[in-house]
Amino acid sequence: MKATDEKNAVPISLERGASAELPFYSVSTPKLVILSLTTFGIYELYWFYQNWKRIQQQSGSDIRPFWRAFFSPLFCHPLVVSVNSAAESLHLAGKLPATVIMAAYFGLLATHRLPDPWWMISMFSFLPLIPIQRRIQEIHEAIQPGRATAVGWSVRSVLATALGSVLLAFTTSGFFGPPTKALPAGEIPDAYVESLVEAGVLDPGEHVEYFYSNGLFSILEDGNLFTDRRVVSYETADGELSLAAAGYDEIRDIDVEYSEGFEPSTVTVSTQDGGEFVLLVSAEDGRDHEFVEQLQQHLPQAAAPASDAASEEAEL
């Protein structure tokens, strides 16, 4: 392993003193964490690029910083080795575990392929970089004692943080709030059913067969569902719950307008007494079609979707 470390290390000529060149790119730990989160990991690539750029300038080697940053999981190990080499040349005690850090960084990045909501673990890929950054700060402190060597907050950094924070808020609201897609019976959490019974939306013992909430933070803000007994649409405004429901024998027909974009599809339920109400159903993963198909199985034969009936007439 030592031979591999020596091969991967990029030799850097280090000097001490106020005029000495700093070999790495140093930022404060809070800046690394905040910008990594608010840029969804893009800042980590920039951090790698700046470090390899400094190493290239110091060593005079022919490495390519852009590609080393682009393939950062592969070149994380050599970067740690170079940092260890620099620390050793300055007689600093301790050594970073290059293989462990590389494995942790690669593993966290790989979690982006996990299903919702576990892919969000990948947003913490900056964690293995913190020991590297702290070691870099120690190296810079040894070279220029008592001087601030970390790169501060620029206007671009502040703007990136502000804009990224807004996007991060929208992303995490989906993580902590209702799912963005409709849920069949097997995927509906028991806690959802308990909340709906407690709020008076469902009767005890009523079985939910498909459910979708268009709420941002809570399923009680908005809900669209059908059970083994009826179809239900509800929403909460100013703390007041309003509910529209119809048993299957009360439904005259339904009209479906499928979404062609990011907006939910709409299912208009018309009742025998001339009333109507609307269900919103997310089109994600085509579950709006599945929602309607399963709903149809409960309806009287005459209550076919109006959109389907129109299509049949056009074919004739």
Side-chain angles (χ1 to χ4, degrees):
M1 190 64 183
K2 185 175 180 180
T4 303
D5 287 353
E6 292 174 352
K7 180 180 179 181
N8 286 335
V10 178
I12 303 172
S13 177
L14 298 179
E15 298 179 359
R16 296 174 185 262
S19 61
E21 293 288 339
L22 299 175
F24 301 107
Y25 180 73
S26 178
V27 297
S28 66
T29 300
K31 181 177 178 180
L32 176 63
V33 171
I34 293 171
L35 279 170
S36 295
L37 283 172
T38 56
T39 63
F40 294 86
I42 295 176
Y43 183 75
E44 294 166 24
L45 301 181
Y46 177 79
W47 181 85
F48 272 104
Y49 170 77
Q50 288 293 344
N51 271 301
W52 284 117
K53 185 179 178 180
R54 297 285 182 93
I55 293 173
Q56 181 192 45
Q57 293 170 346
Q58 287 289 318
S59 64
S61 64
D62 59 354
I63 63 174
R64 298 182 179 182
F66 174 83
W67 292 113
R68 291 206 170 202
F70 188 81
F71 295 106
S72 57
L74 299 178
F75 289 99
C76 180
H77 186 281
L79 177 62
V80 178
V81 171
S82 296
V83 170
N84 281 336
S85 176
E88 186 177 357
S89 70
L90 293 169
H91 306 290
L92 296 178
K95 193 174 185 179
L96 295 176
T99 301
V100 173
I101 289 175
M102 180 192 70
Y105 182 61
F106 185 85
L108 285 169
L109 287 177
T111 61
H112 82 280
R113 304 182 69 88
L114 295 176
D116 290 335
W118 304 111
W119 66 267
M120 296 189 75
I121 295 174
S122 65
M123 294 177 63
F124 295 92
S125 57
F126 62 84
L127 290 175
L129 307 184
I130 292 177
I132 307 175
Q133 182 56 67
R134 289 180 175 173
R135 192 58 165 169
I136 288 173
Q137 291 170 346
E138 293 174 4
I139 292 170
H140 286 189
E141 173 64 24
I143 295 173
Q144 297 184 1
R147 296 191 61 183
T149 59
V151 178
W153 289 83
S154 64
V155 174
R156 287 185 303 175
S157 299
V158 173
L159 289 176
T161 300
L163 294 175
S165 297
V166 174
L167 183 59
L168 182 64
F170 277 107
T171 302
T172 54
S173 67
F175 177 70
F176 294 106
T180 57
K181 56 188 175 184
L183 303 177
E187 297 180 19
I188 301 172
D190 292 339
Y192 283 12
V193 176
E194 292 171 5
S195 295
L196 295 175
V197 171
E198 185 177 343
V201 175
L202 293 176
D203 296 328
E206 195 169 6
H207 177 69
V208 183
E209 300 192 1
Y210 230 114
F211 172 80
Y212 171 67
S213 173
N214 199 37
L216 182 60
F217 298 106
S218 168
I219 63 167
L220 296 180
E221 296 173 20
D222 173 271
N224 311 265
L225 59 98
F226 62 89
T227 73
D228 55 343
R229 307 175 189 176
R230 54 184 178 149
V231 181
V232 180
S233 174
Y234 67 88
E235 65 177 347
T236 302
D238 299 325
E240 294 293 328
L241 176 70
S242 60
L243 183 146
Y248 295 119
D249 59 350
E250 300 174 309
I251 297 175
R252 179 167 52 85
D253 58 40
I254 62 173
D255 179 75
V256 184
E257 185 176 344
Y258 289 110
S259 172
E260 296 180 356
F262 296 104
E263 294 298 318
S265 297
T266 59
V267 180
T268 303
V269 179
S270 300
T271 59
Q272 300 287 0
D273 60 5
E276 66 178 30
F277 58 92
V278 174
L279 304 175
L280 300 178
V281 187
S282 170
E284 186 175 344
D285 292 345
R287 291 194 174 184
D288 52 342
H289 288 266
E290 187 176 314
F291 182 101
V292 172
E293 289 170 3
Q294 292 195 24
L295 173 59
Q296 284 180 258
Q297 297 176 13
H298 290 284
L299 302 179
Q301 190 169 358
S307 57
D308 291 349
S311 298
E312 293 175 4
E313 289 180 7
E315 291 177 1
L316 292 175

